[in-house]
Amino acid sequence: MNDDKKANNIIMNIKKIPSVPFTDQKTGTSGLRKKVKVFQTPHYLENFLQAIFDVATDLKGGLLILGGDGRYYNNEAIQTILKMAVAHGISHIKVGQNGLLSTPAVSHLIRKYSAAGGIILSASHNPGGPDGDFGIKFNTANGGPADSKFTDQLFASSLHITEYKIATIEDIPLQKLGEYQCGETRIEIIDPVSDYADLMAEIFDFPSIQALFDSGLFNICFDAMHAVTGPYAKAIFQQRLNARTSSVINATPLKDFGGGHPDPNLIYAKELVERLNQGKDAPNFGAASDGDGDRYMLIGRNFFVNPSDCLAIMTANAHLLSGYQQGLNGVARSLPTSRAVDKVAETLGIECYETPTGWKYFGNLLDDRRITLCGEESFGGGSDHIREKDGIWAVLFWLNLVTVKRQSVEEITRAHWTRFGRHYYSRHDYEGLDSNVAEQLMEGLRKRVETLKGETFAGHTVSFSDDFSYTDPVDHSITKHQGIRILFEDESRIVFRLSGTGTEGATLRVYLERYEADPALHDLETQTALADMIAIARELAELETRCGREQPDIIT
Ligand code: VG1
Ligand code: CO
């Protein structure tokens, strides 16, 4: 690494380029996501950026954090953003070396350096490459995803673009650390990892975790899936904690993620699963992360912990970790996340909030110190250390827990089920549906839930059902139509919603859950345990007749 910090002065001009609005720049669950080809349409990217600069007026004269997951088009977009940021009078930009910054690292940098905001280039778990997906997320000064008020303004602003402002400067070399001065703007190329790694070392007991690795009795395998976490995992697990060199696989970020799907689940993190199931020589602990490093999957030898259980187990044990020994203010989970954490919160006597899907809804609860931990069923977990979900943080949390408890991932999980009961849980995704068909299906369910209460299906009686609407307890904003939820008297539950991160057609997500208190029944196969709920969901949504689908595309 070249540590040349000498500011290079770059001559520039500012131009105004006439443009006309695109009508589809509405953000979804997590930023604007489109096919790479759409972002490559002349003026498409620039228009959206112009809308960001128009709405986020604090950026002028302030600090902007910039980086992405390294996918195809990452660095081209960074050069365009730098030129437009210069034209808009941003006073300082910190860019990750090689254009890389994980989503949690951006959130941390915003907070640490009091930035006005951050731009993250990622379509997260969606595949990359010239025919894959690209995305842009904007995070505000608290480090979290822009809230709905901001994204509504952004969309409105995108519909009124008549021109965009851009500076004509040479491309900035992103490969080496350094500083450049372009007019009023200082562009700094920073190490993407060190600040984040320092934060992790402050939160967790690194000496104890290192001692566990040094004992030679414990070994991990972390699958970075050729996405952004490779450099973070190597720096933290190997360099700072002394894990073996074989502990991180697929560690080089690639533009197309090596042709893979950077979604950490049992289907896509195949290599990791194979390694963990290799018998007595297998690593004791396995984890994987997604494209932009905000999600994680955790597995033991021949053992999978579902993300909802992860949140519950973290909540029950946080006080054992030095970083959380003062206890938790409260916890939150997204609507579709299983209610395993609710049981723990009840026992601990702390508040458990239920929010719509997407991390932006946790921001106010964290800022207002109502919660300390939060999570989503989609392999997302996080705490008040930043305002994003954080894959490596979650893995370190578990490593720290294993060092304190001296138990395996499986032992910790089973003991938890014995104490609190087990929530069998699964998500069934039906992908690539016709958007109109999917909307009609949801509309049908919306009507149906009004009268479901008291009806019995396969022996399960509905105790409550609605179309989830969320009132933020801090700013009192209301978000409607966030998913159909159907609760049964025996604590089983079904949730239906449409994905807000896809780029083709519609994806229906069906979330299935069943509570089992009896430890003698904690070893059922998940799909078998959920068979009744699966059948009821298919009947209620009229899946076969409406969509012509007999089976989901993905089961997690
Ligand atoms: C999905 C997940 C959601 C997550 C979102 C963004 O959204 O279900 O829990 O917050 O992705 O995560 P949807 O609308 O497709 O269900 V990421 O890692 O893409 O920033
Ligand atoms: Co992600």
mmCIF file of all heavy atoms in Angstrom, residues 292-333:
data_model
loop_
_atom_site.group_PDB
_atom_site.id
_atom_site.type_symbol
_atom_site.label_atom_id
_atom_site.label_comp_id
_atom_site.label_asym_id
_atom_site.label_seq_id
_atom_site.Cartn_x
_atom_site.Cartn_y
_atom_site.Cartn_z
ATOM 1 N N ASP A 292 -22.667 -6.830 0.440
ATOM 2 C CA ASP A 292 -22.192 -5.592 1.048
ATOM 3 C C ASP A 292 -21.868 -5.751 2.538
ATOM 4 O O ASP A 292 -21.662 -4.750 3.236
ATOM 5 C CB ASP A 292 -23.219 -4.469 0.841
ATOM 6 C CG ASP A 292 -24.582 -4.812 1.412
ATOM 7 O OD1 ASP A 292 -24.932 -6.000 1.463
ATOM 8 O OD2 ASP A 292 -25.304 -3.884 1.815
ATOM 9 N N GLY A 293 -21.850 -6.999 3.028
ATOM 10 C CA GLY A 293 -21.335 -7.247 4.378
ATOM 11 C C GLY A 293 -22.277 -6.923 5.518
ATOM 12 O O GLY A 293 -21.849 -6.867 6.668
ATOM 13 N N ASP A 294 -23.555 -6.722 5.219
ATOM 14 C CA ASP A 294 -24.444 -6.406 6.342
ATOM 15 C C ASP A 294 -25.218 -7.625 6.851
ATOM 16 O O ASP A 294 -25.839 -7.566 7.901
ATOM 17 C CB ASP A 294 -25.391 -5.235 6.021
ATOM 18 C CG ASP A 294 -26.199 -5.432 4.768
ATOM 19 O OD1 ASP A 294 -26.042 -6.477 4.109
ATOM 20 O OD2 ASP A 294 -26.990 -4.529 4.430
ATOM 21 N N ARG A 295 -25.178 -8.729 6.104
ATOM 22 C CA ARG A 295 -25.890 -9.925 6.584
ATOM 23 C C ARG A 295 -24.916 -11.019 6.942
ATOM 24 O O ARG A 295 -23.773 -11.012 6.483
ATOM 25 C CB ARG A 295 -26.762 -10.492 5.485
ATOM 26 C CG ARG A 295 -27.748 -9.533 4.961
ATOM 27 C CD ARG A 295 -28.610 -10.316 4.035
ATOM 28 N NE ARG A 295 -29.454 -9.423 3.292
ATOM 29 C CZ ARG A 295 -30.518 -9.849 2.652
ATOM 30 N NH1 ARG A 295 -30.823 -11.131 2.692
ATOM 31 N NH2 ARG A 295 -31.255 -9.007 1.997
ATOM 32 N N TYR A 296 -25.407 -12.004 7.658
ATOM 33 C CA TYR A 296 -24.549 -13.136 7.988
ATOM 34 C C TYR A 296 -25.366 -14.399 8.170
ATOM 35 O O TYR A 296 -26.540 -14.357 8.521
ATOM 36 C CB TYR A 296 -23.792 -12.871 9.296
ATOM 37 C CG TYR A 296 -24.661 -13.011 10.529
ATOM 38 C CD1 TYR A 296 -24.468 -14.044 11.420
ATOM 39 C CD2 TYR A 296 -25.712 -12.120 10.760
ATOM 40 C CE1 TYR A 296 -25.279 -14.184 12.541
ATOM 41 C CE2 TYR A 296 -26.520 -12.250 11.871
ATOM 42 C CZ TYR A 296 -26.303 -13.278 12.756
ATOM 43 O OH TYR A 296 -27.115 -13.417 13.848
ATOM 44 N N MET A 297 -24.726 -15.522 7.908
ATOM 45 C CA MET A 297 -25.334 -16.805 8.260
ATOM 46 C C MET A 297 -24.390 -17.495 9.227
ATOM 47 O O MET A 297 -23.175 -17.411 9.080
ATOM 48 C CB MET A 297 -25.500 -17.683 7.034
ATOM 49 C CG MET A 297 -26.014 -19.071 7.401
ATOM 50 S SD MET A 297 -26.296 -20.128 5.990
ATOM 51 C CE MET A 297 -24.638 -20.479 5.469
ATOM 52 N N LEU A 298 -24.943 -18.167 10.198
ATOM 53 C CA LEU A 298 -24.135 -18.847 11.201
ATOM 54 C C LEU A 298 -24.456 -20.339 11.174
ATOM 55 O O LEU A 298 -25.628 -20.712 11.183
ATOM 56 C CB LEU A 298 -24.503 -18.273 12.571
ATOM 57 C CG LEU A 298 -23.733 -18.852 13.725
ATOM 58 C CD1 LEU A 298 -22.328 -18.278 13.724
ATOM 59 C CD2 LEU A 298 -24.436 -18.521 15.028
ATOM 60 N N ILE A 299 -23.425 -21.171 11.134
ATOM 61 C CA ILE A 299 -23.669 -22.608 11.230
ATOM 62 C C ILE A 299 -22.636 -23.274 12.133
ATOM 63 O O ILE A 299 -21.515 -22.785 12.281
ATOM 64 C CB ILE A 299 -23.680 -23.322 9.843
ATOM 65 C CG1 ILE A 299 -22.425 -23.003 9.020
ATOM 66 C CG2 ILE A 299 -24.897 -22.973 9.042
ATOM 67 C CD1 ILE A 299 -22.376 -23.737 7.683
ATOM 68 N N GLY A 300 -23.040 -24.377 12.726
ATOM 69 C CA GLY A 300 -22.099 -25.228 13.450
ATOM 70 C C GLY A 300 -21.878 -26.465 12.597
ATOM 71 O O GLY A 300 -22.341 -26.535 11.456
ATOM 72 N N ARG A 301 -21.181 -27.463 13.151
ATOM 73 C CA ARG A 301 -21.010 -28.713 12.398
ATOM 74 C C ARG A 301 -22.375 -29.355 12.219
ATOM 75 O O ARG A 301 -23.050 -29.654 13.211
ATOM 76 C CB ARG A 301 -20.113 -29.667 13.167
ATOM 77 C CG ARG A 301 -18.666 -29.305 13.078
ATOM 78 C CD ARG A 301 -17.830 -30.360 13.764
ATOM 79 N NE ARG A 301 -16.451 -29.922 13.815
ATOM 80 C CZ ARG A 301 -15.549 -30.415 14.651
ATOM 81 N NH1 ARG A 301 -15.886 -31.354 15.501
ATOM 82 N NH2 ARG A 301 -14.321 -29.970 14.623
ATOM 83 N N ASN A 302 -22.768 -29.568 10.969
ATOM 84 C CA ASN A 302 -24.077 -30.170 10.666
ATOM 85 C C ASN A 302 -25.226 -29.498 11.416
ATOM 86 O O ASN A 302 -26.172 -30.153 11.842
ATOM 87 C CB ASN A 302 -24.082 -31.656 11.017
ATOM 88 C CG ASN A 302 -23.189 -32.443 10.100
ATOM 89 O OD1 ASN A 302 -23.383 -32.411 8.897
ATOM 90 N ND2 ASN A 302 -22.194 -33.094 10.659
ATOM 91 N N PHE A 303 -25.101 -28.216 11.618
ATOM 92 C CA PHE A 303 -26.135 -27.544 12.403
ATOM 93 C C PHE A 303 -26.319 -26.103 11.916
ATOM 94 O O PHE A 303 -25.370 -25.351 11.790
ATOM 95 C CB PHE A 303 -25.722 -27.531 13.880
ATOM 96 C CG PHE A 303 -26.822 -27.095 14.801
ATOM 97 C CD1 PHE A 303 -27.822 -27.986 15.162
ATOM 98 C CD2 PHE A 303 -26.865 -25.799 15.300
ATOM 99 C CE1 PHE A 303 -28.854 -27.592 16.002
ATOM 100 C CE2 PHE A 303 -27.893 -25.397 16.141
ATOM 101 C CZ PHE A 303 -28.887 -26.299 16.500
ATOM 102 N N PHE A 304 -27.573 -25.750 11.662
ATOM 103 C CA PHE A 304 -27.881 -24.412 11.158
ATOM 104 C C PHE A 304 -28.685 -23.652 12.215
ATOM 105 O O PHE A 304 -29.593 -24.208 12.813
ATOM 106 C CB PHE A 304 -28.716 -24.575 9.874
ATOM 107 C CG PHE A 304 -29.395 -23.325 9.392
ATOM 108 C CD1 PHE A 304 -28.653 -22.257 8.880
ATOM 109 C CD2 PHE A 304 -30.781 -23.202 9.433
ATOM 110 C CE1 PHE A 304 -29.279 -21.097 8.430
ATOM 111 C CE2 PHE A 304 -31.416 -22.042 8.974
ATOM 112 C CZ PHE A 304 -30.650 -21.000 8.471
ATOM 113 N N VAL A 305 -28.334 -22.401 12.464
ATOM 114 C CA VAL A 305 -29.130 -21.597 13.402
ATOM 115 C C VAL A 305 -29.895 -20.578 12.578
ATOM 116 O O VAL A 305 -29.273 -19.772 11.864
ATOM 117 C CB VAL A 305 -28.255 -20.791 14.386
ATOM 118 C CG1 VAL A 305 -29.110 -20.305 15.547
ATOM 119 C CG2 VAL A 305 -27.094 -21.596 14.884
ATOM 120 N N ASN A 306 -31.204 -20.597 12.630
ATOM 121 C CA ASN A 306 -31.913 -19.618 11.798
ATOM 122 C C ASN A 306 -31.749 -18.219 12.404
ATOM 123 O O ASN A 306 -31.586 -18.055 13.610
ATOM 124 C CB ASN A 306 -33.351 -20.049 11.493
ATOM 125 C CG ASN A 306 -34.344 -19.651 12.550
ATOM 126 O OD1 ASN A 306 -34.377 -18.492 12.975
ATOM 127 N ND2 ASN A 306 -35.142 -20.595 12.988
ATOM 128 N N PRO A 307 -31.748 -17.206 11.520
ATOM 129 C CA PRO A 307 -31.419 -15.845 11.967
ATOM 130 C C PRO A 307 -32.346 -15.300 13.046
ATOM 131 O O PRO A 307 -31.919 -14.509 13.889
ATOM 132 C CB PRO A 307 -31.535 -15.012 10.696
ATOM 133 C CG PRO A 307 -31.456 -15.985 9.570
ATOM 134 C CD PRO A 307 -31.964 -17.291 10.060
ATOM 135 N N SER A 308 -33.586 -15.744 13.044
ATOM 136 C CA SER A 308 -34.497 -15.275 14.090
ATOM 137 C C SER A 308 -34.061 -15.828 15.440
ATOM 138 O O SER A 308 -34.090 -15.131 16.456
ATOM 139 C CB SER A 308 -35.930 -15.724 13.792
ATOM 140 O OG SER A 308 -36.359 -15.236 12.545
ATOM 141 N N ASP A 309 -33.642 -17.107 15.450
ATOM 142 C CA ASP A 309 -33.126 -17.689 16.692
ATOM 143 C C ASP A 309 -31.842 -16.970 17.109
ATOM 144 O O ASP A 309 -31.597 -16.769 18.298
ATOM 145 C CB ASP A 309 -32.840 -19.189 16.516
ATOM 146 C CG ASP A 309 -34.100 -20.035 16.644
ATOM 147 O OD1 ASP A 309 -35.150 -19.489 17.052
ATOM 148 O OD2 ASP A 309 -34.035 -21.236 16.330
ATOM 149 N N CYS A 310 -31.022 -16.618 16.116
ATOM 150 C CA CYS A 310 -29.772 -15.893 16.431
ATOM 151 C C CYS A 310 -30.080 -14.644 17.255
ATOM 152 O O CYS A 310 -29.432 -14.385 18.270
ATOM 153 C CB CYS A 310 -29.058 -15.453 15.152
ATOM 154 S SG CYS A 310 -28.063 -16.737 14.412
ATOM 155 N N LEU A 311 -31.083 -13.893 16.818
ATOM 156 C CA LEU A 311 -31.426 -12.657 17.531
ATOM 157 C C LEU A 311 -31.889 -12.972 18.954
ATOM 158 O O LEU A 311 -31.495 -12.294 19.919
ATOM 159 C CB LEU A 311 -32.509 -11.891 16.757
ATOM 160 C CG LEU A 311 -33.052 -10.642 17.444
ATOM 161 C CD1 LEU A 311 -31.962 -9.588 17.614
ATOM 162 C CD2 LEU A 311 -34.232 -10.053 16.656
ATOM 163 N N ALA A 312 -32.702 -14.007 19.082
ATOM 164 C CA ALA A 312 -33.215 -14.378 20.408
ATOM 165 C C ALA A 312 -32.065 -14.801 21.321
ATOM 166 O O ALA A 312 -32.009 -14.408 22.496
ATOM 167 C CB ALA A 312 -34.226 -15.504 20.260
ATOM 168 N N ILE A 313 -31.146 -15.593 20.777
ATOM 169 C CA ILE A 313 -30.032 -16.104 21.585
ATOM 170 C C ILE A 313 -29.095 -14.953 21.985
ATOM 171 O O ILE A 313 -28.617 -14.876 23.124
ATOM 172 C CB ILE A 313 -29.288 -17.222 20.817
ATOM 173 C CG1 ILE A 313 -30.233 -18.425 20.645
ATOM 174 C CG2 ILE A 313 -28.001 -17.621 21.526
ATOM 175 C CD1 ILE A 313 -29.762 -19.486 19.670
ATOM 176 N N MET A 314 -28.857 -14.053 21.050
ATOM 177 C CA MET A 314 -28.027 -12.878 21.382
ATOM 178 C C MET A 314 -28.672 -12.068 22.500
ATOM 179 O O MET A 314 -28.003 -11.618 23.434
ATOM 180 C CB MET A 314 -27.872 -11.989 20.149
ATOM 181 C CG MET A 314 -26.934 -12.559 19.109
ATOM 182 S SD MET A 314 -27.124 -11.587 17.618
ATOM 183 C CE MET A 314 -25.490 -11.670 16.964
ATOM 184 N N THR A 315 -29.978 -11.891 22.392
ATOM 185 C CA THR A 315 -30.691 -11.094 23.394
ATOM 186 C C THR A 315 -30.594 -11.751 24.776
ATOM 187 O O THR A 315 -30.351 -11.078 25.785
ATOM 188 C CB THR A 315 -32.171 -10.938 22.970
ATOM 189 O OG1 THR A 315 -32.193 -10.323 21.684
ATOM 190 C CG2 THR A 315 -32.953 -10.087 23.949
ATOM 191 N N ALA A 316 -30.752 -13.079 24.798
ATOM 192 C CA ALA A 316 -30.727 -13.791 26.082
ATOM 193 C C ALA A 316 -29.340 -13.770 26.719
ATOM 194 O O ALA A 316 -29.210 -13.894 27.935
ATOM 195 C CB ALA A 316 -31.190 -15.227 25.878
ATOM 196 N N ASN A 317 -28.291 -13.630 25.900
ATOM 197 C CA ASN A 317 -26.921 -13.785 26.415
ATOM 198 C C ASN A 317 -26.063 -12.527 26.388
ATOM 199 O O ASN A 317 -24.905 -12.561 26.819
ATOM 200 C CB ASN A 317 -26.207 -14.871 25.613
ATOM 201 C CG ASN A 317 -26.809 -16.238 25.863
ATOM 202 O OD1 ASN A 317 -26.647 -16.798 26.936
ATOM 203 N ND2 ASN A 317 -27.546 -16.749 24.888
ATOM 204 N N ALA A 318 -26.594 -11.432 25.868
ATOM 205 C CA ALA A 318 -25.771 -10.233 25.664
ATOM 206 C C ALA A 318 -25.043 -9.800 26.937
ATOM 207 O O ALA A 318 -23.877 -9.403 26.897
ATOM 208 C CB ALA A 318 -26.641 -9.091 25.141
ATOM 209 N N HIS A 319 -25.711 -9.927 28.077
ATOM 210 C CA HIS A 319 -25.109 -9.451 29.333
ATOM 211 C C HIS A 319 -23.825 -10.192 29.686
ATOM 212 O O HIS A 319 -23.049 -9.738 30.512
ATOM 213 C CB HIS A 319 -26.128 -9.590 30.477
ATOM 214 C CG HIS A 319 -26.512 -11.015 30.744
ATOM 215 N ND1 HIS A 319 -27.411 -11.691 29.951
ATOM 216 C CD2 HIS A 319 -26.089 -11.893 31.669
ATOM 217 C CE1 HIS A 319 -27.531 -12.936 30.397
ATOM 218 N NE2 HIS A 319 -26.732 -13.082 31.442
ATOM 219 N N LEU A 320 -23.589 -11.346 29.060
ATOM 220 C CA LEU A 320 -22.368 -12.110 29.334
ATOM 221 C C LEU A 320 -21.150 -11.533 28.619
ATOM 222 O O LEU A 320 -20.012 -11.900 28.899
ATOM 223 C CB LEU A 320 -22.550 -13.573 28.898
ATOM 224 C CG LEU A 320 -23.690 -14.350 29.558
ATOM 225 C CD1 LEU A 320 -23.841 -15.713 28.912
ATOM 226 C CD2 LEU A 320 -23.403 -14.494 31.055
ATOM 227 N N LEU A 321 -21.382 -10.655 27.653
ATOM 228 C CA LEU A 321 -20.286 -10.069 26.874
ATOM 229 C C LEU A 321 -19.919 -8.711 27.453
ATOM 230 O O LEU A 321 -20.815 -7.910 27.749
ATOM 231 C CB LEU A 321 -20.729 -9.887 25.411
ATOM 232 C CG LEU A 321 -20.485 -11.053 24.455
ATOM 233 C CD1 LEU A 321 -21.030 -12.355 24.990
ATOM 234 C CD2 LEU A 321 -21.057 -10.754 23.088
ATOM 235 N N SER A 322 -18.621 -8.459 27.547
ATOM 236 C CA SER A 322 -18.205 -7.206 28.182
ATOM 237 C C SER A 322 -18.824 -5.982 27.493
ATOM 238 O O SER A 322 -19.222 -5.026 28.153
ATOM 239 C CB SER A 322 -16.682 -7.103 28.214
ATOM 240 O OG SER A 322 -16.166 -7.361 26.933
ATOM 241 N N GLY A 323 -18.945 -6.018 26.163
ATOM 242 C CA GLY A 323 -19.481 -4.861 25.434
ATOM 243 C C GLY A 323 -20.952 -4.598 25.710
ATOM 244 O O GLY A 323 -21.463 -3.520 25.406
ATOM 245 N N TYR A 324 -21.678 -5.595 26.240
ATOM 246 C CA TYR A 324 -23.113 -5.424 26.478
ATOM 247 C C TYR A 324 -23.496 -5.763 27.921
ATOM 248 O O TYR A 324 -24.659 -6.021 28.217
ATOM 249 C CB TYR A 324 -23.914 -6.282 25.470
ATOM 250 C CG TYR A 324 -23.663 -5.837 24.050
ATOM 251 C CD1 TYR A 324 -22.654 -6.408 23.286
ATOM 252 C CD2 TYR A 324 -24.386 -4.786 23.487
ATOM 253 C CE1 TYR A 324 -22.385 -5.967 21.994
ATOM 254 C CE2 TYR A 324 -24.127 -4.338 22.204
ATOM 255 C CZ TYR A 324 -23.123 -4.931 21.459
ATOM 256 O OH TYR A 324 -22.856 -4.480 20.192
ATOM 257 N N GLN A 325 -22.502 -5.743 28.814
ATOM 258 C CA GLN A 325 -22.766 -6.219 30.175
ATOM 259 C C GLN A 325 -23.706 -5.298 30.958
ATOM 260 O O GLN A 325 -24.294 -5.712 31.958
ATOM 261 C CB GLN A 325 -21.458 -6.410 30.943
ATOM 262 C CG GLN A 325 -20.696 -5.127 31.163
ATOM 263 C CD GLN A 325 -19.338 -5.386 31.809
ATOM 264 O OE1 GLN A 325 -18.977 -6.522 32.050
ATOM 265 N NE2 GLN A 325 -18.592 -4.328 32.080
ATOM 266 N N GLN A 326 -23.862 -4.082 30.478
ATOM 267 C CA GLN A 326 -24.775 -3.169 31.166
ATOM 268 C C GLN A 326 -26.230 -3.517 30.878
ATOM 269 O O GLN A 326 -27.140 -2.891 31.425
ATOM 270 C CB GLN A 326 -24.460 -1.707 30.809
ATOM 271 C CG GLN A 326 -24.777 -1.253 29.407
ATOM 272 C CD GLN A 326 -23.814 -1.788 28.330
ATOM 273 O OE1 GLN A 326 -22.970 -2.648 28.556
ATOM 274 N NE2 GLN A 326 -23.960 -1.281 27.112
ATOM 275 N N GLY A 327 -26.477 -4.542 30.037
ATOM 276 C CA GLY A 327 -27.849 -4.954 29.744
ATOM 277 C C GLY A 327 -28.403 -4.236 28.520
ATOM 278 O O GLY A 327 -27.752 -3.358 27.947
ATOM 279 N N LEU A 328 -29.600 -4.607 28.127
ATOM 280 C CA LEU A 328 -30.180 -4.085 26.889
ATOM 281 C C LEU A 328 -31.313 -3.110 27.183
ATOM 282 O O LEU A 328 -32.137 -3.365 28.057
ATOM 283 C CB LEU A 328 -30.714 -5.242 26.047
ATOM 284 C CG LEU A 328 -29.723 -6.378 25.746
ATOM 285 C CD1 LEU A 328 -30.431 -7.498 24.982
ATOM 286 C CD2 LEU A 328 -28.535 -5.858 24.943
ATOM 287 N N ASN A 329 -31.368 -2.019 26.410
ATOM 288 C CA ASN A 329 -32.477 -1.066 26.565
ATOM 289 C C ASN A 329 -33.790 -1.686 26.111
ATOM 290 O O ASN A 329 -34.853 -1.423 26.656
ATOM 291 C CB ASN A 329 -32.225 0.178 25.712
ATOM 292 C CG ASN A 329 -30.987 0.929 26.167
ATOM 293 O OD1 ASN A 329 -30.589 0.822 27.318
ATOM 294 N ND2 ASN A 329 -30.379 1.685 25.266
ATOM 295 N N GLY A 330 -33.694 -2.465 25.080
ATOM 296 C CA GLY A 330 -34.869 -3.095 24.483
ATOM 297 C C GLY A 330 -34.388 -3.767 23.217
ATOM 298 O O GLY A 330 -33.198 -3.706 22.887
ATOM 299 N N VAL A 331 -35.286 -4.443 22.503
ATOM 300 C CA VAL A 331 -34.912 -5.085 21.247
ATOM 301 C C VAL A 331 -35.990 -4.814 20.210
ATOM 302 O O VAL A 331 -37.104 -4.408 20.560
ATOM 303 C CB VAL A 331 -34.736 -6.620 21.407
ATOM 304 C CG1 VAL A 331 -33.479 -6.961 22.166
ATOM 305 C CG2 VAL A 331 -35.948 -7.249 22.078
ATOM 306 N N ALA A 332 -35.658 -5.061 18.950
ATOM 307 C CA ALA A 332 -36.652 -4.926 17.888
ATOM 308 C C ALA A 332 -36.404 -5.982 16.830
ATOM 309 O O ALA A 332 -35.278 -6.429 16.637
ATOM 310 C CB ALA A 332 -36.579 -3.529 17.262
ATOM 311 N N ARG A 333 -37.496 -6.379 16.193
ATOM 312 C CA ARG A 333 -37.390 -7.307 15.062
ATOM 313 C C ARG A 333 -38.338 -6.837 13.987
ATOM 314 O O ARG A 333 -39.358 -6.190 14.276
ATOM 315 C CB ARG A 333 -37.725 -8.742 15.489
ATOM 316 C CG ARG A 333 -39.136 -8.878 16.019
ATOM 317 C CD ARG A 333 -39.642 -10.316 16.026
ATOM 318 N NE ARG A 333 -40.942 -10.385 16.681
ATOM 319 C CZ ARG A 333 -42.106 -10.122 16.065
ATOM 320 N NH1 ARG A 333 -42.129 -9.779 14.790
ATOM 321 N NH2 ARG A 333 -43.244 -10.195 16.737
#
